[in-house]
């Protein structure tokens, strides 16, 4: 099961903002038996989008974790067939991590918004960045429409 | 010149925003963790809030020094060593260590971080 809940990165500015899209289909494994896309997964998609921005904005490649959700609202629902656009901004940045604010919309309808903290993992807690890890990262970046990481060009094929 | 009451008022808003508590609960003698429910990630949130509210830049580990929790020279067998006390004095010149010195248990370090400490920190920072 794919746990990246973002289909494509549409645009991003380092250290500033990012825009992504998620299309909700009937084939979603998470949707079996549910009439609507769960709010928790909209929140997860917002946070994942913020994590992608934070990792790409760091001076060296860092990994983030979700530290805290300060606020989350889900004023409307999302359904199969909806195209959810997610925008996240880095509201405040520090060496330890970033404070982000994100909103998810279907057209003009807000289906989720959140304020959350994404601290960077201490280097000693990061997974080993071996060839298999770099390969997975490269595949994910291609799928999301992101440029390859520095030094990964030859592995991109 | 920002007076003490104005600083306290802004700190109350910062802590209230970060911890989801009422501003009236955020009194100077309240310990952030024990009395107001702050967890480790909340200290980062409070740092963000203070930076924004006062327009100041807070260096990593400046307000909430993490080294005390990691350095074996500073803490031994659950007790803050003389070197650790010197470190805390230097790192937190605006903290009142009088009571802490009497029983410098590591578990009591978090009790140093009160609302009043935040006010004193900002006062020191704005006066610099």
């Amino acid at each position: 099961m794919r746990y990246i809940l973002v289909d494509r990165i549409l645009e991003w500015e380092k250290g500033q903002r990012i825009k992504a899209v998620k299309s909700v289909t009937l084939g979603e494994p998470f949707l079996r038996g549910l009439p609507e896309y769960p709010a928790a997964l909209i929140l997860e998609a917002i946070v994942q989008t913020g994590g992608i921005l934070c990792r790409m904005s760091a001076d060296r490649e860092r990994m983030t974790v979700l530290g805290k959700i300060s606020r989350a609202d889900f004023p409307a629902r999302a359904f199969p067939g909806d195209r959810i656009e997610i925008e996240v901004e880095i509201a405040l940045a520090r060496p330890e991590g970033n404070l982000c604010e994100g909103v998810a919309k279907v057209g003009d309808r807000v289906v989720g918004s959140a304020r959350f903290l994404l601290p960077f993992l201490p280097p000693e807690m990061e997974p080993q960045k071996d060839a298999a890890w770099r390969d997975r990262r490269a595949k994910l970046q291609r799928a999301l429409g992101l440029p390859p990481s520095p030094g990964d060009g030859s592995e991109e094929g | 010149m920002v007076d003490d009451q104005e600083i306290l008022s802004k700190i109350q808003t910062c802590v209230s925003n970060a911890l989801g508590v009422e501003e009236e609960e955020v009194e100077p003698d309240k310990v952030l963790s024990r009395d107001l429910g702050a967890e480790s990630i909340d200290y980062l949130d409070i740092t963000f809030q203070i930076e924004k509210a006062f327009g100041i830049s807070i260096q990593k580990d400046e307000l909430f020094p993490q080294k005390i929790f990691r350095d074996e020279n500073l803490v031994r067998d659950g007790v803050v060593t003389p070197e650790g006390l010197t470190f805390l004095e230097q790192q937190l010149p605006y903290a009142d260590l009088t009571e802490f010195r009497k029983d410098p248990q590591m578990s009591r370090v978090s009790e140093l971080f009160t609302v009043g400490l935040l006010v004193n920190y900002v006062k020191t920072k704005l006066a610099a």
Side-chain angles (χ1 to χ4, degrees):
Chain A
M1 185 181 292
R2 185 182 178 209
Y3 196 57
I4 298 296
L5 301 180
V6 180
D7 293 336
R8 196 88 178 159
I9 303 300
L10 300 178
E11 55 192 61
W12 64 286
E13 292 174 57
K14 184 175 179 176
Q16 301 291 320
R17 54 180 286 279
I18 188 168
K19 189 172 183 179
V21 65
K22 159 74 187 166
S23 295
V24 182
T25 69
L26 268 176
E28 299 274 345
F30 307 106
L31 264 178
R32 287 177 190 152
L34 293 172
E36 65 188 79
Y37 198 63
L41 297 186
I42 294 174
L43 179 60
E44 174 68 25
I46 293 172
V47 171
Q48 285 186 4
T49 304
I52 291 167
L53 174 63
C54 291
R55 286 199 295 278
M56 294 193 307
S57 298
D59 289 337
R60 66 172 187 81
E61 183 154 348
R62 301 287 304 269
M63 302 197 73
T64 58
V65 290
L66 175 59
K68 174 180 177 180
I69 296 168
S70 308
R71 176 186 59 74
D73 295 305
F74 307 97
R77 298 184 291 176
F79 302 94
D82 282 344
R83 182 179 191 269
I84 304 175
E85 284 199 356
I86 301 160
E87 289 194 61
V88 178
E89 290 181 356
I90 294 178
L92 292 165
R94 288 190 51 78
E96 304 97 317
N98 297 316
L99 175 67
C100 297
E101 290 180 352
V103 62
K105 289 182 179 177
V106 176
D108 292 332
R109 193 171 85 241
V110 175
V111 295
S113 69
R115 176 182 179 274
F116 51 100
L117 278 177
L118 292 177
F120 293 116
L121 265 186
E124 65 271 19
M125 291 178 68
E126 291 184 355
Q128 190 179 357
K129 294 174 180 172
D130 54 15
W133 182 88
R134 288 197 300 276
D135 186 52
R136 285 197 302 275
R137 178 184 63 182
K139 285 179 179 168
L140 178 60
Q141 287 170 330
R142 273 199 300 272
L144 293 174
L146 291 169
S149 296
D152 274 6
S154 60
E155 298 170 36
E156 297 293 298
Chain B
M1 185 75 182
V2 184
D3 64 32
D4 290 6
Q5 189 54 45
E6 191 176 342
I7 292 174
L8 174 61
S9 176
K10 282 187 174 182
I11 290 288
Q12 286 174 318
T13 304
C14 292
V15 173
S16 171
N17 286 344
L19 303 183
V21 296
E22 296 297 325
E23 290 190 15
E24 296 75 43
E25 294 179 62
V26 186
E27 297 167 328
D29 62 339
K30 291 285 176 70
V31 174
L32 296 175
S33 56
R34 186 191 64 205
D35 299 330
L36 299 174
E39 297 181 18
S40 57
I41 189 67
D42 294 320
Y43 295 105
L44 178 58
D45 201 355
I46 290 170
T47 305
F48 274 123
Q49 299 283 341
I50 292 176
E51 277 192 322
K52 188 177 178 187
F54 294 95
I56 58 178
S57 176
I58 302 173
Q59 298 301 305
K60 187 180 179 186
D61 286 346
E62 182 182 335
L63 178 53
F64 299 112
Q66 298 295 305
K67 190 181 176 187
I68 190 75
F69 299 105
R70 295 194 294 255
D71 193 325
E72 291 179 1
N73 292 320
L74 305 182
V75 177
R76 200 163 295 133
D77 299 326
V79 178
V80 177
T81 62
E83 291 91 336
L85 286 169
T86 303
F87 169 79
L88 286 175
E89 271 180 352
Q90 292 171 345
Q91 195 73 28
L92 305 171
Y94 33 81
D96 182 1
L97 297 179
T98 312
E99 284 301 312
F100 182 75
R101 281 183 172 283
K102 294 175 185 170
D103 182 22
Q105 296 289 324
M106 180 63 181
S107 57
R108 296 181 64 225
V109 169
S110 64
E111 294 176 17
L112 294 173
F113 296 97
T114 62
V115 173
L117 177 138
L118 299 179
V119 172
N120 288 338
Y121 168 76
V122 171
K123 274 170 64 178
T124 306
K125 193 85 177 170
L126 293 178

